[in-house]
Amino acid sequence: MSVSRLVRFQWRELLLSALGPLAFVGLALGAAEGTISGVNPSMPAAVVPIGELVQGRVVCQTFRARYPNLTEVRVHLSADRPTGRLTLRLWGEGELSPTRVVTVVLSSGPQEWDQAFRFAPIAKAEGRWWRFCLEAPDSGAGHGVVVWAAEGAGGEGELELRGFEGVGAPSGRILAFEARFSLSPFEKIIRLIQRLAAGKPGPWGDPWGYIGLFFAYGLLASLFCRWIHGRGSTE
């Protein structure tokens, strides 16, 4: 066998050996992307208005971060003629000063939307309680934004209203918001494996068992590809 044919043969064998594992990696990435969204809590579908956020009013919400790399908070708003600034301040549990402060300028027509407040990722956010407050320091009546609550949401987190005279915090409800996290594909796969293992008895409760099973299937797929190729070559 010539050198060139030997090189082609080796590359072909290498490619066939890699096809199975690559296919399983692709499937794992697809499953992780579809299952681990990196958003928790998600924006609720059913919402009810709380009131207009203007100068002198503040709305606050607490939540527990489910993932690391907290990088964005979105709040559901509506307005007729919004003007001025909208400021979000974010604190971690036990912190006296805000960890992140984000200000956006309002200058649009009547609409209802999810306002994004993006900031540098907070790597060690997972498992901690966080609290953010939203205010419109220079918006007068009729020019502020209306904040909304998730109807019948309850669950983790507490809604707090300041300056909303005559408007109590809706019982058992939270602010209509979502927290977003920046997760790499590898981190999503690890999260998916941990979710699969959660609450399972024996070896099925060990994430390493799923990792070993993943590689075993990849090896079998690789051997199957080489067997199919070998049968085709002999025929």
Side-chain angles (χ1 to χ4, degrees):
M1 182 181 294
S2 66
V3 175
S4 59
R5 290 187 62 186
L6 178 61
V7 170
R8 286 198 301 269
F9 175 79
Q10 290 177 338
W11 272 107
R12 185 173 57 194
E13 289 294 303
L14 181 61
L15 179 60
L16 288 171
S17 299
L19 279 178
L22 286 175
F24 270 85
V25 168
L27 290 173
L29 286 174
E33 288 290 340
T35 307
I36 310 299
S37 63
V39 178
N40 187 269
S42 299
M43 187 68 69
V47 293
V48 293
I50 297 174
E52 187 179 22
L53 188 63
V54 295
Q55 185 178 19
R57 289 182 171 182
V58 181
V59 59
C60 300
Q61 176 67 48
T62 61
F63 68 97
R64 186 190 294 273
R66 184 171 182 177
Y67 304 113
N69 298 320
L70 175 62
T71 190
E72 182 180 329
V73 171
R74 292 192 178 191
V75 182
H76 187 75
L77 305 171
S78 63
D80 289 329
R81 296 166 300 179
T83 59
R85 296 168 296 150
L86 197 60
T87 299
L88 180 139
R89 292 180 170 84
L90 176 71
W91 291 265
E93 185 177 15
E95 294 176 345
L96 299 179
S97 300
T99 301
R100 299 287 188 271
V101 178
V102 182
T103 298
V104 297
V105 178
L106 302 172
S107 59
S108 58
Q111 59 179 318
E112 187 172 332
W113 76 103
D114 296 335
Q115 178 63 56
F117 298 88
R118 300 183 179 90
F119 41 83
I122 303 174
K124 297 181 179 180
E126 183 178 14
R128 295 182 60 191
W129 278 97
W130 296 88
R131 176 171 171 266
F132 67 86
C133 291
L134 192 62
E135 56 185 311
D138 46 14
S139 293
H143 297 279
V145 296
V146 175
V147 290
W148 295 69
E151 188 171 15
E156 287 190 346
E158 182 178 347
L159 171 63
E160 178 187 355
L161 303 177
R162 302 179 195 165
F164 288 78
E165 289 78 7
V167 181
S171 177
R173 295 175 180 166
I174 62 172
L175 190 67
F177 83 103
E178 68 181 28
R180 294 187 166 227
F181 304 82
S182 177
L183 300 177
S184 68
F186 176 76
E187 288 174 318
K188 289 187 176 182
I189 290 177
I190 295 300
R191 298 282 164 176
L192 177 60
I193 291 173
Q194 291 174 340
R195 184 175 296 185
L196 289 172
K200 301 286 194 313
W204 297 110
D206 184 0
W208 284 104
Y210 289 90
I211 295 174
L213 189 63
F214 171 80
F215 281 107
Y217 275 121
L219 177 61
L220 289 175
S222 175
L223 294 174
F224 180 73
C225 288
R226 297 185 66 177
W227 177 73
I228 290 293
H229 175 73
R231 288 198 59 179
S233 299
T234 56
E235 293 177 0

